Amino acid sequence: MCGIVGYVGEREAVPVLIKGLEHLEYRGYDSAGIACLSHDRSKFFMIKEKGKLAELKAQLNGVPPQMRLGIGHTRWATHGEPSKINAHPHLGRDSRIALVHNGIVENYAELKSELERKGHRFKSKTDTEVAAHLIEYYYRGDLCEALRKAVRRMKGFFAFVAISHDEPNRLFACKRSNPLVIGVGHNEHFVASDVSALLPYTKRVIYLDDDELVELTPDSVRVTQLQKGTKIQKKVSEINWNVEQAQKGGFPHFMLKEIYEQPRVLSETILERIDDKGNIHFELLPKSTVKKLQKIKKIHIVSCGTAYHAGLVANYMMGKYVRLPIEATVSSEFRYEDPIVGPGDLVVLITQSGETADTLAALRLAKEKKALTLAIVNVVGSTIAREADLVIYTQAGPEIGVASTKAYIAQLGTLALFTFYLARLRKTIASQEYRELIGEFRKLPKSAEQVLKQVDDIDRCARKHFHRKNFLYLGRGYNYPTALEGALKLKEISYAHAHGYAAGEMKHGPIALIDEEQLVICIAPQSKTYDKMISNIEEIKARNGLVMAIGTYGSKALSKLADYLFLIPNTPEIFSPILSVITLQVFAYKIAVLNHRDVDQPRNLAKSVTVE
Ligand code: M6R
């Protein structure tokens, strides 16, 4: 959470920082701020504002020219309320250094008391201001040294970017747990929380690893080990994302754009990995892993939020086709519950950002316990992608809307692909069935386009129900997680209460909610439990509840019962969550827009949850 950016080079720093923050705003939008070194190097030029970046931009008139070094921050508040005072950057006691931070200094209270005893006074309630004072306390003209000394005193995790008065052409950054990536340019360098902020300027990047410190000048990059100061050689990687992918492209919101991108995402995730003979290839899975994958005894799937829902779907997929014990767990539970994991187990971590704190901790725990780890990740070069034994990228491209849509579809597609890959490796699927499923799999991008043709009908339905405060979602089997995901999508962007339930549980409680005011969204495509869903819907109708249903073309019983019916093309049950969730994403989007919600940046949320 929080987006940080830094620049040193020949351009005006302010526009570079602001553009960088625009791309990072999805990481937090409680406040924003920048600090640059003034032309005459006499002081920091600093502005900060509470609220979104737009508030900061409104204050930019009259910015002095020729500032070539600066840092910027967009905040998701942890310590101290969202306010101008608590906004970053923060300065040291004598304003000799300026600092932006993503993370938490856990022992900040202790450090603050120590510094207060030495006469330091603090303006804000943040842990970052304490860090800034501590760094400056150790500062004797060499910011690298000061950072090393200060960080030794800190507990917790951080990505810091700092500048000093006395080192006018130098930008310093270091990290532990939270991400930082360096952008390599010509006579200029950048640093940011993720690559999206760098894309307008360069595609050449260096990923910083934990406990590394970098010193950037316009024409040099020097990476050293944070504690010992030993020099580290780093590799420059090329990013294949482009800047257009991270722009709205004429859509009113990123979320809508990303929903419409889903047919293409499915093609890139699935079709490009299946050859003409129907064989599946994962470009980054080395041949040597085949034997290990053949021998695994248990699969754990670990993830958070929407990615957890993808994990639940994978539970059904792998349960049916791989025939191994499987357990899907949310990362925050997995990491603290002493899971029974060991050699011979495969731990699959699913994550869009590749930076989610709990998922990263779960990965490290699984590695400690000697399990084989596989990351299914969207953001290339992210920490989880780099630390896992194996990685499969979901290839959704940059997802900017806080509510995950195309990344979810890409996760589901990738998980289905991996399921078939494993099933074939382990010989748990018959050749004929495999061929048929691959044939159906190839149809998904077109089918997703079909689903999107119903957007206007979904809009009409949303207009009738956007005022409601309670929504119930029901599904079974593969589409029980779809019910959970539909409810999550709606609540996170519309702020209405929405609850997903396994339809078979309806009579064990939720049925008490049903009356003529309750809208129940029933996910009922053709499946082995279709008739059971129909019985559930009959029970809802018998109590005068309103039903919005998602079914497969030609589902007669459903069309007679449902008040609103949205259809997906015929597809095997394993693929139905990929198609049925699209309608729910559009429905959530429409309800949120009709309620004038901030769809791409819903309150209190951030795109990457890098604190637990
Ligand atoms: O980056 P990750 O996939 O690890 O993020 C996990 C969740 O934080 C994320 O899916 C969150 O639930 C989304 N806002 C849901 O739309």
Side-chain angles (χ1 to χ4, degrees):
M1 310 174 108
C2 299
I4 59 183
V5 63
Y7 177 76
V8 59
E10 293 176 343
R11 300 178 203 238
E12 289 290 347
V14 174
V16 176
L17 297 175
I18 294 295
K19 193 178 274 250
L21 293 180
E22 279 169 4
H23 285 280
L24 295 173
E25 200 179 11
Y26 70 85
R27 300 177 71 92
Y29 27 84
D30 288 334
S31 63
I34 54 169
C36 297
L37 196 58
S38 64
H39 175 48
D40 60 3
R41 299 170 189 172
S42 60
K43 59 177 187 310
F44 289 121
F45 168 82
M46 187 159 82
I47 39 176
K48 320 201 248 189
E49 270 309 319
K50 179 181 169 192
K52 296 198 163 188
L53 189 59
E55 306 296 330
L56 182 76
K57 284 182 172 155
Q59 307 300 317
L60 286 179
N61 284 338
V63 167
Q66 295 187 45
M67 297 190 290
R68 317 276 187 213
L69 173 73
I71 56 179
H73 189 270
T74 175
R75 179 168 188 245
W76 189 89
T78 57
H79 294 65
E81 55 170 15
S83 70
K84 190 167 170 173
I85 288 262
N86 288 331
H88 300 211
H90 288 283
L91 302 178
R93 183 173 69 173
D94 302 323
S95 304
R96 290 176 73 200
I97 71 134
L99 181 76
V100 289
H101 172 211
N102 171 21
I104 294 179
V105 179
E106 286 167 357
N107 59 336
Y108 86 102
E110 204 180 290
L111 295 168
K112 190 172 184 178
S113 314
E114 181 186 321
L115 288 163
E116 277 170 344
R117 284 196 296 277
K118 292 183 165 65
H120 291 244
R121 293 290 167 262
F122 295 90
K123 298 188 181 95
S124 79
K125 297 265 183 297
T126 64
D127 52 343
T128 308
E129 193 186 9
V130 176
H133 277 235
L134 189 68
I135 295 164
E136 199 183 82
Y137 174 74
Y138 287 116
Y139 186 62
R140 305 281 181 277
D142 179 351
L143 199 41
C144 269
E145 255 333 286
L147 276 163
R148 282 188 221 292
K149 285 188 179 148
V151 157
R152 253 177 238 142
R153 305 283 322 279
M154 292 179 204
K155 291 192 186 126
F157 43 94
F158 49 80
F160 287 126
V161 184
I163 52 177
S164 126
H165 258 188
D166 312 327
E167 296 172 88
N169 275 322
R170 288 176 197 281
L171 183 64
F172 299 85
C174 61
K175 68 157 258 165
R176 180 173 298 153
S177 279
N178 286 359
L180 274 183
V181 55
I182 298 158
V184 180
H186 296 291
N187 295 325
E188 59 183 356
H189 284 105
F190 310 78
V191 63
S193 299
D194 72 46
V195 292
S196 59
L198 310 177
L199 287 175
Y201 306 103
T202 181
K203 289 187 177 175
R204 301 183 66 226
V205 302
I206 298 171
Y207 295 105
L208 221 54
D209 287 307
D210 275 358
D211 289 312
E212 289 182 347
L213 186 152
V214 64
E215 181 181 342
L216 298 169
T217 67
D219 49 16
S220 69
V221 178
R222 187 167 169 269
V223 180
T224 51
Q225 210 282 334
L226 182 54
Q227 283 87 4
K228 297 181 200 140
T230 42
K231 195 153 187 256
I232 299 173
Q233 282 301 336
K234 299 290 289 185
K235 187 175 110 223
V236 178
S237 310
E238 284 281 333
I239 299 295
N240 62 3
W241 287 3
N242 60 48
V243 70
E244 291 73 36
Q245 284 176 304
Q247 285 166 350
K248 281 190 201 151
F251 284 88
H253 298 101
F254 278 110
M255 182 179 177
L256 191 62
K257 176 189 172 229
E258 287 159 4
I259 288 172
Y260 272 97
E261 278 181 89
Q262 295 184 113
R264 180 190 57 75
V265 166
L266 283 171
S267 298
E268 284 171 15
T269 304
I270 304 168
L271 301 190
E272 289 183 10
R273 281 168 166 154
I274 306 175
D275 69 18
D276 296 347
K277 292 185 183 135
N279 298 315
I280 294 166
H281 304 276
F282 292 111
E283 50 294 350
L284 297 175
L285 286 197
K287 286 221 170 70
S288 56
T289 54
V290 166
K291 278 214 172 85
K292 287 188 193 158
L293 289 173
Q294 276 166 335
K295 285 191 198 145
I296 52 175
K297 295 187 189 74
K298 182 169 180 186
I299 303 175
H300 301 260
I301 308 174
V302 187
S303 41
C304 300
T306 287
Y308 169 62
H309 298 155
L312 289 176
V313 177
N315 210 341
Y316 290 90
M317 291 174 169
M318 293 184 187
K320 175 160 169 58
Y321 293 102
V322 183
R323 308 303 297 157
L324 276 174
I326 303 170
E327 214 174 313
T329 316
V330 283
S331 313
S332 51
E333 293 297 316
F334 183 91
R335 66 180 287 195
Y336 289 118
E337 291 310 311
D338 193 12
I340 306 169
V341 182
D345 289 359
L346 173 69
V347 178
V348 181
L349 299 304
I350 309 170
T351 167
Q352 188 286 130
S353 61
E355 304 293 349
T356 301
D358 285 323
T359 308
L360 179 58
L363 163 67
R364 289 176 177 167
L365 179 66
K367 287 185 80 173
E368 232 173 80
K369 289 178 175 269
K370 308 270 181 292
L372 180 66
T373 56
L374 164 69
I376 296 193
V377 186
N378 194 40
V379 176
V380 177
S382 53
T383 308
I384 293 175
R386 283 179 293 129
E387 289 195 15
D389 300 312
L390 308 170
V391 61
I392 300 177
Y393 285 114
T394 47
Q395 310 195 150
E399 188 180 67
I400 312 290
V402 164
S404 189
T405 52
K406 65 172 181 172
Y408 181 62
I409 291 275
Q411 285 160 355
L412 295 182
T414 309
L415 287 161
L417 212 54
F418 185 65
T419 299
F420 297 143
Y421 176 85
L422 263 190
R424 233 176 157 204
L425 219 58
R426 300 175 59 83
K427 304 192 179 20
T428 48
I429 190 167
S431 307
Q432 176 66 16
E433 187 175 14
Y434 177 83
R435 270 197 301 278
E436 281 168 15
L437 283 167
I438 291 291
E440 292 295 331
F441 209 2
R442 292 187 203 273
K443 295 181 188 162
L444 283 181
K446 280 262 161 302
S447 301
E449 275 171 20
Q450 285 295 112
V451 176
L452 283 168
K453 288 191 177 143
Q454 299 168 95
V455 164
D456 291 343
D457 300 330
I458 302 170
D459 184 57
R460 274 189 283 282
C461 175
R463 281 175 193 280
K464 294 207 168 116
H465 298 288
F466 72 94
H467 58 279
R468 292 184 187 282
K469 293 281 167 268
N470 276 300
F471 297 79
L472 179 62
Y473 288 70
L474 298 178
R476 283 175 183 255
Y478 283 102
N479 284 294
Y480 162 45
T482 311
L484 300 181
E485 175 59 10
L488 174 64
K489 248 3 25 125
L490 188 78
K491 73 184 128 197
E492 72 179 322
I493 58 170
S494 73
Y495 318 150
H497 177 255
H499 204 110
Y501 243 95
E505 284 287 288
M506 191 175 91
K507 289 199 266 301
H508 300 280
I511 199 163
L513 294 171
I514 311 289
D515 61 15
E516 61 285 351
E517 286 303 315
Q518 182 67 50
L519 179 67
V520 189
I521 293 113
C522 298
I523 301 111
Q526 282 305 333
S527 70
K528 58 182 172 305
T529 50
Y530 172 72
D531 292 341
K532 305 282 171 204
M533 279 304 296
I534 293 294
S535 304
N536 287 131
I537 295 171
E538 295 270 17
E539 288 155 7
I540 297 164
K541 292 310 301 172
R543 286 157 184 84
N544 298 323
L546 289 162
V547 170
M548 167 180 153
I550 296 170
T552 310
Y553 286 122
S555 303
K556 287 207 182 98
L558 206 53
S559 61
K560 280 193 197 131
L561 284 169
D563 299 280
Y564 307 91
L565 179 60
F566 300 101
L567 296 168
I568 63 168
N570 201 10
T571 192
E573 198 175 348
I574 182 172
F575 305 132
S576 60
I578 298 179
L579 298 179
S580 51
V581 77
I582 297 174
T583 303
L584 303 183
Q585 294 167 343
V586 176
F587 183 66
Y589 172 79
K590 295 287 179 184
I591 298 266
V593 170
L594 288 161
N595 280 297
H596 309 288
R597 301 299 189 220
D598 192 342
V599 173
D600 285 335
Q601 295 175 341
R603 70 182 180 201
N604 304 338
L605 290 173
K607 184 75 182 161
S608 331
V609 183
T610 55
V611 292
E612 57 172 311

